[in-house]
Amino acid sequence: MRCRLCGSDQLVSVLDLGATPPCERFLAEEELDCPEPTYPLHLRLCEHCLLLQLPALITPEDTFVEYAYFSSFSDSWVEHAKTFVERTNRRLGLGDGSFVIEVASNDGYLLQHVVASGVRCVGVEPSVNVGAAARERGVPTVTAFLDETTASHIRSEHGPADLVIANNVYAHVPDLVGFTKAMRTLMSDTGWLSIEVHHAQNLVALGQFDTIYHEHFQYYTVHSAMRALAIGDLALVDVELLETHGGSIRLWARPTASAGVPTERVHQALAMEEAAGLHEVDGYLNLRRRTEAIRHALLRFLLDCRAQGKRVVGYGAPGKGNTLLNYCGIRSDLIEYIVDRNPYKHGRFTPGTRIPIHETQRIATDRPDVVIALPWNLEIELTEQLAYIGEWGAELIFPLPTLHKAELGRRQLSGAAR
Ligand SMILES: [Zn+2]
């Protein structure tokens, strides 16, 4: 094994989560009797460039041709995108005559706001079914994986972009070097690149082991992201720390020649990472112990519920939920079923653990005693959405960063059941 960024063969084991199926491969009922391939999920760190990474055992082509993740199913995510577009239009002075490209534009959840603001844009989305949903909401979308060839085609057809947006995709590209160069190809020489990606500092410090899955090939600190961007002649100009996905970073980069001096925020973020020990190998080695502690606490809780005859169901079936369920070994004896807002998943089963997925109304009908929220990063949103379970005295539990019960407050109790 070699580091996909620097080519070093000095890769040290950080966390071994065993072998699991691809986390978005939800099973239809007729697939339950078929073989289900699993792949090792073993996080390693390059001792040379400090890029956290998984080997590319499954390709994006396997995952994304029919993808189950529609960004628009999260209200807070759509709102986050709207705010980003408004602020970015102001920050970069985008308007008539500007051109924006979003890579991995999903169902148009973000670019719909760019279209509404009157700025010309194109989305690049590899998944056929998700890209079709974007076009239906009026977002011009090219169905393609971004690589150096497709980037050249898009540039010659549409022109260079003033802004390239790559939100929650930079972890998903096994060809990190080619993808970074392709983003540069899409940009004008004075253009901007905006990347949002989960911050590996939170993965390590808060034990967010379920952000590790096969489709996430690498996990960035600001430090390692700067090294990756440099491969494409891109320099980091600014960084923002975000609350999304349990703590992300938004990286602002420009072609090196037009980048200028990085902001104070870049220096602060690097200093924070260094203080957390993440600019050396030892700082990563606590993740294993923290992850095991989360697994033990969750299993202890579920076994206690079982012993007390409580009915437990899950809320939300995100990909990362499947890393958690598989690593913890949770099946339908401990979580009876999971509900999700995405109709694509209804009637299907979670990969590996084969827990059935139903529509969200099922909770109001069945009135379970405990609801475990798997997308723990949406704690505020879900605590509000699920406030009604307090009406029959149910508990809402979040497994991370440590297992805890949500406060279903008096104000929220008046919320109508959905
Ligand atoms: Zn490396």
Side-chain angles (χ1 to χ4, degrees):
M1 266 187 69
R2 289 191 171 274
C3 170
R4 68 170 55 89
L5 180 55
C6 76
S8 163
D9 61 0
Q10 303 296 306
L11 296 176
V12 59
S13 171
V14 170
L15 182 62
D16 186 351
L17 295 169
T20 71
C23 75
E24 293 288 350
R25 191 68 60 78
F26 293 90
L27 302 170
E29 189 159 14
E30 60 271 20
E31 293 174 296
L32 292 178
D33 288 321
C34 299
E36 190 182 6
T38 61
Y39 301 83
L41 197 53
H42 190 169
L43 185 69
R44 291 184 172 90
L45 177 75
C46 173
E47 290 190 30
H48 177 64
C49 72
L50 297 177
L51 183 70
L52 276 171
Q53 55 199 290
L54 297 179
L57 298 175
I58 58 174
T59 67
E61 286 83 353
D62 289 337
T63 310
F64 287 106
V65 175
E66 184 178 276
Y67 193 42
Y69 185 75
F70 290 79
S71 298
S72 296
F73 284 105
S74 165
D75 294 340
S76 62
W77 195 237
V78 173
E79 193 56 35
H80 172 75
K82 183 165 187 264
T83 308
F84 169 79
V85 169
E86 288 165 0
R87 287 194 187 152
T88 303
N89 282 355
R90 278 200 301 275
R91 174 177 179 151
L92 305 185
L94 302 178
D96 284 353
S98 303
F99 179 46
V100 173
I101 297 176
E102 189 188 12
V103 183
S105 49
N106 202 272
D107 61 3
Y109 74 101
L110 186 145
L111 286 181
Q112 64 184 343
H113 303 299
V114 176
V115 170
S117 72
V119 174
R120 187 167 67 93
C121 65
V122 165
V124 184
E125 168 55 46
S127 171
V128 176
N129 61 326
V130 178
R135 283 188 286 270
E136 275 169 30
R137 51 163 66 91
V139 175
T141 303
V142 177
T143 300
F145 283 99
L146 185 71
D147 56 25
E148 290 176 82
T149 309
T150 54
S152 298
H153 288 155
I154 292 167
R155 184 183 171 111
S156 50
E157 190 176 339
H158 299 278
D162 303 293
L163 169 65
V164 171
I165 303 164
N167 287 351
N168 302 295
V169 62
Y170 206 35
H172 290 79
V173 289
D175 180 10
L176 175 56
V177 172
F179 184 86
T180 304
K181 289 178 176 170
M183 289 195 296
R184 172 65 186 93
T185 300
L186 293 177
M187 296 164 64
S188 80
D189 289 343
T190 55
W192 287 84
L193 170 65
S194 182
I195 292 177
E196 279 182 35
V197 72
H198 185 238
H199 192 189
Q201 181 172 334
N202 296 312
L203 161 62
V204 176
L206 301 175
Q208 296 170 343
F209 70 93
D210 58 352
T211 59
I212 301 166
Y213 42 85
H214 300 104
E215 295 87 338
H216 272 176
F217 299 104
Q218 52 265 333
Y219 304 78
Y220 299 95
T221 57
V222 174
H223 181 261
S224 61
M226 285 174 80
R227 285 187 175 226
L229 289 167
I231 294 257
D233 187 34
L234 294 162
L236 187 67
V237 177
D238 192 15
V239 63
E240 297 171 59
L241 303 179
L242 309 174
E243 298 289 322
T244 47
H245 290 304
S248 301
I249 39 180
R250 179 182 293 142
L251 305 161
W252 293 93
R254 305 188 80 180
T256 309
S258 56
V261 183
T263 62
E264 185 56 29
R265 292 197 290 197
V266 172
H267 299 296
Q268 285 167 356
L270 288 170
M272 186 179 71
E273 288 178 353
E274 194 172 5
L278 299 183
H279 292 179
E280 52 196 317
V281 172
D282 284 356
Y284 293 82
L285 303 181
N286 277 335
L287 177 59
R288 182 189 325 232
R289 209 179 48 232
R290 213 178 293 273
T291 299
E292 288 168 357
I294 291 167
R295 175 173 187 255
H296 297 164
L298 180 56
L299 283 173
R300 199 174 293 122
F301 175 80
L302 291 172
L303 289 167
D304 283 349
C305 289
R306 173 86 183 173
Q308 293 161 22
K310 289 181 177 172
R311 213 172 159 190
V312 181
V313 306
Y315 186 94
K320 69 168 140 200
N322 291 319
T323 293
L324 183 141
L325 295 171
N326 277 295
Y327 168 68
C328 295
I330 295 167
R331 304 179 62 92
S332 57
D333 58 328
L334 296 180
I335 294 182
E336 188 180 325
Y337 57 83
I338 296 173
V339 300
D340 194 277
R341 292 173 80 182
N342 184 346
Y344 177 90
K345 295 178 182 172
H346 298 160
R348 293 180 192 250
F349 296 79
T350 56
T353 51
R354 293 152 179 246
I355 299 173
I357 304 169
H358 300 306
E359 49 191 35
T360 51
Q361 291 87 327
R362 181 82 173 241
I363 288 183
T365 312
D366 281 357
R367 300 190 156 214
D369 302 300
V370 176
V371 177
I372 304 267
L374 295 176
W376 47 261
N377 55 301
L378 303 176
E379 178 161 344
I380 295 170
E381 179 179 347
L382 294 190
T383 302
E384 251 172 55
Q385 267 178 31
L386 290 166
Y388 66 89
I389 71 171
E391 288 168 12
W392 63 86
E395 293 179 342
L396 176 61
I397 300 293
F398 290 89
L400 265 70
T402 53
L403 190 125
H404 60 283
K405 187 160 71 166
E407 290 291 333
L408 301 173
R410 189 183 295 273
R411 183 183 65 79
Q412 292 156 337
L413 279 179
S414 61
R418 291 177 211 186

